[in-house]
Amino acid sequence: MLPTLKAKARVMPSYCLLSKLLSPTLSFSSVFAATAAAAPITSPFTLRRPSPTPPRLPLWALRRPGSVSTRSLPLPASSRGLSSEGGMGDQDVSYLSQKDAAEIDEILMGPLGFSVDQLMELAGLSVATSIPEVYRLSEYSRVLAICGPGNNGGDGLVAARHLHHFGYKPFVCYPKRTPKPLYTGLVTQLESLSVPFLSVGDLPQNLSDDFDLIVDAMFGFSFHGQPRPPFDVLIQRLASLSGIDNGFKRKVAIVSVDVPSGWHVEEGDISGEGIKPDMLVSLTAPKLCAKKFIGPHHFLGGRFVPPSIVHKYGLNLPPYPGTSMCVRIGKLPSVDVSSLRENYISPELLEDQVMADPVDQFHKWFDEAVAAGLQEPNAMALSTCGREGKPSSRMVLLKGADKQGFVWYTNYGSRKARELSENPHASLLFFWNPLHRQVRVEGAVQKVSDEESERYFHSRPRGSQLGAGASKQSTVLAGRHVLYQVFKDLEERYSDGSLIPRPEYWGGYRLTPTVFEFWQGQPSRLHDRLQYSLREGDGKQVWHIERLSP
């Protein structure tokens, strides 16, 4: 990758421990993501294939995390994380003049006790965490950060470091280095991570050829006058990207830090020929020029504004949700659903590589899904159909899988249970999107024994046992308060720790497979589909493998 850049990139061998480079402001989830992304990624499977195979957890032990909220990074996702939900309309947000923005910085670094490096670390982290909210690592891994000589450039250097820890592959163009310890330290940190530094002459003629995303961190709100070389040329090159026709290739995305470089901090892109970023990450509060921003993604970062400044300047800012360092401003852009697609890149799934028994093949893929850290890899879509021929589907959790079949537990009075009593056949579907895999299983269904249901019921958390007794699944409720009250009554009844009896209307089902299909996503929709079906052979049933057209 990037053959034109490798020979020219100036890097220093890594010598610092990751823990020494991470800012103390990082959340646990950020540290976890950085640790998971420490190795170079060449395909979705580089880090995910277990070697050696980890010990298999019993399926009943795979629990939902209760009321604990979890986020994926970087997700996923384009990711629509918690930070996207806390936004407010652009017209409701406060905008700062250049004078007010400068005053707020002076107050932060004066009587409020912040240092420049603290604010720079928080700002750079905000930019880095905003990017995965929109630009998925799987599609936008190659990042070029163009950094100016001031604080805005320092924010870009910090963002590049965090993006590296998030799994992205940052390159830095820093043509006018500031000879101050703060900035030289940031450069040293990046060099210790082997992040390449490129001169302006090293950059490819067409930036879209070698980069997926460009972080514009050249000039911030304190900049006056006209940009000087080489930044004037760099700004022109970024401004021209919106007019480049790449054919079928996706346009490189531009993320501007606080103020698009070359814009007037209050009046915006006066000439109309400046950078037109796809994302703007405002810091502290949006500057007046942000009113002229017409890109699809506007985020606010810099979660450090104290109430005294909010009150003094009458700021109206959106709340940051949870532990997020960024929050979306304005509504999510409308999306053309027909344009949503992903070109899968995966190892081929070949007949001579899979196991003869589909249950063994399922366990192999399932173990790899667990090792990859997928959330609830045992979640499956269960499809049933009653005597009226109207199919229905819902997500349930697999709680056992062996040569006898696939087991899940539910309420015997639910819709799926009624349909299974009328038509004891079903289909299961497992979808492991990060691995570009799905498994479909079809077969006959019957209830498991009372003894098996009893054992599993009493292995569940006590709250789940009470929940099973409180819910008459699929029946109409007058309101959530009714369910809460029944649960509370049961909680009080068994508050002495006595055994909670399994409701007679609650238990398990087992699907005995007759058909499996293993699907592996491939480029240009030429997906691999291997189907196992039971056939008679030598007086016994054997599994037959055949390839299906995608």
Side-chain angles (χ1 to χ4, degrees), residues 148-375:
N151 290 346
N152 197 265
D155 298 342
L157 294 173
V158 172
R161 167 160 47 83
H162 286 296
L163 287 171
H164 168 84
H165 290 310
F166 294 165
Y168 291 82
K169 298 175 182 177
F171 294 75
V172 176
C173 180
Y174 188 25
K176 297 288 185 181
R177 301 192 181 192
T178 303
K180 293 182 179 179
L182 171 58
Y183 296 89
T184 57
L186 294 174
V187 170
T188 300
Q189 292 166 18
L190 288 166
E191 289 177 335
S192 71
L193 297 172
S194 298
V195 172
F197 279 76
L198 309 172
S199 71
V200 175
D202 292 337
L203 297 177
Q205 184 63 34
N206 185 356
L207 296 175
S208 297
D209 288 342
D210 290 334
F211 303 106
D212 307 307
L213 187 145
I214 297 175
V215 177
D216 158 33
M218 287 180 273
F219 301 113
F221 70 83
S222 61
F223 179 77
H224 296 272
Q226 294 297 317
R228 296 179 180 179
F231 297 106
D232 55 348
V233 175
L234 289 170
I235 289 173
Q236 291 173 11
R237 294 187 66 179
L238 295 194
S240 68
L241 284 175
S242 59
I244 293 177
D245 183 6
N246 294 315
F248 292 103
K249 186 176 179 182
R250 181 191 62 249
K251 182 178 78 71
V252 64
I254 299 177
V255 177
S256 287
V257 177
D258 204 23
V259 175
S261 296
W263 282 29
H264 189 283
V265 69
E266 295 182 357
E267 298 177 23
D269 182 17
I270 298 176
S271 69
E273 299 177 354
I275 297 174
K276 295 175 176 57
D278 303 275
M279 174 189 279
L280 174 64
V281 183
S282 295
L283 298 172
T284 307
K287 312 309 179 283
L288 282 171
C289 66
K291 290 186 175 181
K292 307 294 178 65
F293 172 68
I294 59 173
H297 308 292
H298 188 189
F299 282 78
L300 176 65
R303 193 174 184 172
F304 48 72
V305 182
S308 59
I309 287 182
V310 172
H311 296 319
K312 179 175 180 178
Y313 290 89
L315 299 181
N316 185 27
L317 302 175
Y320 288 86
T323 58
S324 178
M325 292 299 295
C326 61
V327 59
R328 181 181 283 275
I329 296 176
K331 297 180 180 179
L332 287 166
S334 59
V335 177
D336 177 7
V337 177
S338 66
S339 69
L340 295 177
R341 58 176 56 86
E342 181 162 344
N343 194 32
Y344 301 111
I345 300 176
S346 313
E348 292 179 334
L349 181 65
L350 303 176
E351 290 85 338
D352 60 356
Q353 296 176 351
V354 296
M355 298 184 175
D357 191 309
V359 177
D360 294 334
Q361 181 64 32
F362 173 84
H363 279 299
K364 179 179 183 294
W365 272 22
F366 184 86
D367 290 345
E368 291 177 355
V370 172
L374 273 60
Q375 186 175 0

Side-chain angles (χ1 to χ4, degrees), residues 46 104 114 290 372 404-405 436 442 501:
T46 303
I104 289 174
F114 283 90
Q404 282 67 52
H436 305 160
E442 300 175 10

